[in-house]
Amino acid sequence: ASTASSNFLRHIIERDLLQGRYRGRRWAGSPGDGTHHEQGGPDPAKVRMRFPPEPNGYLHVGHAKSIWLNFSLAQEFGGVCHMRFDDTNPEKEEQEYVDAILDAVKWLGWSWDAHGTRHLYYASDYFDFMYRAAEYLIETGHAYVDEQTPEQMRANRGTLTEPGIDSPYRHRPAEESLARFREMRAGRFPDGAMVLRAKIDMASPNINLRDPAIYRIKHATHHNTGDTWCIYPMYTFAHPIEDALENITHSICTLEFEDQRPFYDWLLERIVPILRAPQFERAQQLIERIEQQGVEAGKEFALHCHNHAHKLGPNTEPERRMRALFTKWEHDREAVLRDLPRFFELLKTQTHQFTPLLAAALEAYQIEPFNLPHQYEFARLNLTYVVTSKRKLKQLVDEGIVSGWDDPRMPTIVGLRRRGYTPEAIRLFCERTGVSKAGGWIDYSSLEIALRDDLEGKAPRAMAVLDPVPLKLTNWADVFGSADHREPCTAPAHPQRPELGQRQFSLGPEIWIEREDFMEQPPKGYFRLFPGNKVRLKYGYVIECTGCEKDANGQVTAVLATVVPDTKSGTPGADTVKVKGTITWVGAHEAVPAEVRLYDRLFADAQPDAGGKDFKAALNPNSLTVVRAYVEPSLANARAEERFQFERHGYFCADRHDHTPARLVFNRITGLKDSWGK
Ligand code: ATP
Ligand code: MG
Ligand code: MG
């Protein structure tokens, strides 16, 4: 197992923090009236991540990776991770999925409450703003309504080697586009009649920049906004806006979106004035104040800067720079006003040392340092023997190939949970597989290894016989004086954790053993039961096999053996008889019947959907075997979702839904050893 966990994103955030990019301060009081003062330490909420699923299905193990990445980075840097539903596509989204997604994130151990605020957001809550942004783009000449047919648009898009062709609607006046766009919104046109497109560059080598569609007509009811809208933003348009409105600092997505990054940046740069409208107003007020009051207000500002410069130490360089800035504001106010945010950006990138000072001064005037979110991409998680696509998983559910989204064979989070995986194991798996730019496949066994590493120290032990055959101890009454005698046995609940206590059970004249633990004619090297051989019953006595009973077909119906007196485990006589084999068992008089579900990989092909293959053709027909087992009496008290190590068999979990005290149902999570290589 690889334990390397490099994470290039962590380094990016560290770098940004070192450069002072997101370090804000908490302030109390009002600027300028003497009550303004710094409060507490730096505002920790400045690193903001988000996990933005679309509520169109249940989350899978790939999402678990993304959840871990975003929430753990925010936690590590004392920031916040927003839980956001990217619900801009009305047709496939449902409340059921919203609820299930929130449940899954919580179960994985994360919270979107931070610093006293609930950070739960819905992209659909921003539809009004998105619409305004679209109108703003039209007004500023950066978008137009295109009435070409979808076929014409596709044909005019060009290819990788050939540039696209301008739409005849590309150069229509802004007023005309605006009027059309308002008609689109009013519901005057059917789906697909026209779209709003960004006006960028039809000859761009990046096809995503060839005037991408940003709004389309869709007469559909939305799970959140109902029938308020009949036009909906495209994902690529909506997502950067969501990030910017929530002041996200690092917007992490998977590599498929790398080619979208130029559009992400293009869009945000163009809508800065409306994104920052409130800040803009304050900046404008500040400058007006300086204009009106002339030198006095300027002095006040400079003094403020001065005070902060002083805080930076005896070095007067920052102070000098602050004065220089002030002078520039005086001389070139118009330019500064027009492009204030970009001016801040410029200052921040060009003058490191100066940045904290500027940030402090701007905050003193309640003008947040201006940070647009940045998109970063990492390689998605591909896990062998499963598919990680909500669409394909939904197909398995809809076609009844699995019992539901939470079928224990499913790589969904609810499936992994029901199978018996722990949040800690999933987290360990995410940490170990690391974060990189290079794609690849992670072997399913990594997940199982993480589970074993987590449960080894935690899971209580128990004995269970999964393929039972009776064994009769024919000398029982002679040795113990009565057929009704029961020999009490104890075993530690966990071999390394005495504090977990002891399990109690007992031995009687008839027990259940595994069918494979007896062979009439054993091959060489077989140390378990065969006529004439002795083995130890774990935590019990040494027994000697004397033969077996069979039915008419030659099938063994009972194994026969005798107890060797005075050999009980934990007594002085235990070592007097040496044996090479020890077997597990449960007493027939107290065994509890249980249904045990033995799961195998869902697909027989390691990469079921690679290269566009038909993934359903790769289904493993033997992915589930149900057996009738006998388990030791302590397991009668098992609670749903409780996990155990069944000695020699592996890790098992009481089924979350089907297990009851009256009907025990256990799922095999994984075996004790890695058997995937077989
Ligand atoms: P799917 O195709 O299964 O629907 P998606 O990416 O469309 O996946 P979203 O709901 O948009 O699903 O995903 C939410 C977040 O989870 C996104 O940021 C996405 O990048 C991330 N994510 C999805 N699948 C994986 C994966 N296999 N590995 C890592 N991150 C993933
Ligand atoms: Mg998506
Ligand atoms: Mg998807």
Side-chain angles (χ1 to χ4, degrees), residues 610-623:
K613 270 186 290 189
D614 172 16
F615 68 102
K616 283 189 290 171
L619 280 161
N620 172 9
N622 305 314
S623 57

Side-chain angles (χ1 to χ4, degrees), residues 260-437:
Q260 290 290 353
R261 181 155 27 97
F263 178 69
Y264 186 104
D265 294 337
W266 179 93
L267 173 64
L268 291 184
E269 274 165 33
R270 276 166 190 72
I271 62 168
V272 155
I274 61 163
L275 274 174
R276 294 295 182 242
Q279 277 190 34
F280 240 66
E281 275 164 32
R282 282 199 297 273
Q284 201 150 344
Q285 281 164 14
L286 169 65
I287 289 172
E288 277 168 14
R289 234 174 103 195
I290 295 174
E291 266 179 342
Q292 284 162 12
Q293 303 178 11
V295 189
E296 282 314 300
K299 253 192 211 153
E300 189 199 325
F301 184 72
L303 186 69
H304 218 101
C305 300
H306 207 88
N307 290 341
H308 285 287
H310 181 71
K311 275 187 201 164
L312 288 179
N315 189 353
T316 55
E317 172 68 7
E319 185 196 339
R320 198 182 58 73
R321 290 197 180 191
M322 201 70 213
R323 280 188 199 285
L325 167 70
F326 181 63
T327 313
K328 179 161 170 61
W329 280 35
E330 282 237 293
H331 289 308
D332 208 358
R333 271 194 299 274
E334 286 299 299
V336 173
L337 232 185
R338 224 181 306 119
D339 208 9
L340 193 64
R342 224 189 296 217
F343 179 67
F344 293 167
E345 254 323 284
L346 193 78
L347 283 169
K348 274 193 301 171
T349 51
Q350 291 188 348
T351 54
H352 301 314
Q353 198 190 5
F354 178 63
T355 299
L357 174 67
L358 177 67
L362 294 176
E363 253 186 72
Y365 285 91
Q366 295 185 342
I367 302 165
E368 289 254 325
F370 194 75
N371 290 305
L372 282 177
H374 284 282
Q375 175 182 307
Y376 300 93
E377 308 86 18
F378 76 106
R380 58 182 285 122
L381 170 74
N382 291 311
L383 192 62
T384 58
Y385 297 105
V386 297
V387 294
T388 47
S389 148
K390 276 184 253 153
R391 185 177 57 81
K392 289 173 191 163
L393 293 172
K394 186 167 191 305
Q395 223 174 313
L396 297 177
V397 174
D398 290 347
E399 293 174 24
I401 293 168
V402 293
S403 66
W405 285 100
D406 66 350
D407 185 300
R409 291 165 294 183
M410 289 280 271
T412 50
I413 296 175
V414 276
L416 292 170
R417 173 176 181 178
R418 188 166 172 198
R419 175 78 164 261
Y421 275 89
T422 59
E424 294 82 1
I426 294 171
R427 184 176 176 143
L428 199 56
F429 165 78
C430 292
E431 280 167 8
R432 286 176 177 173
T433 49
V435 182
S436 80
K437 276 264 184 195

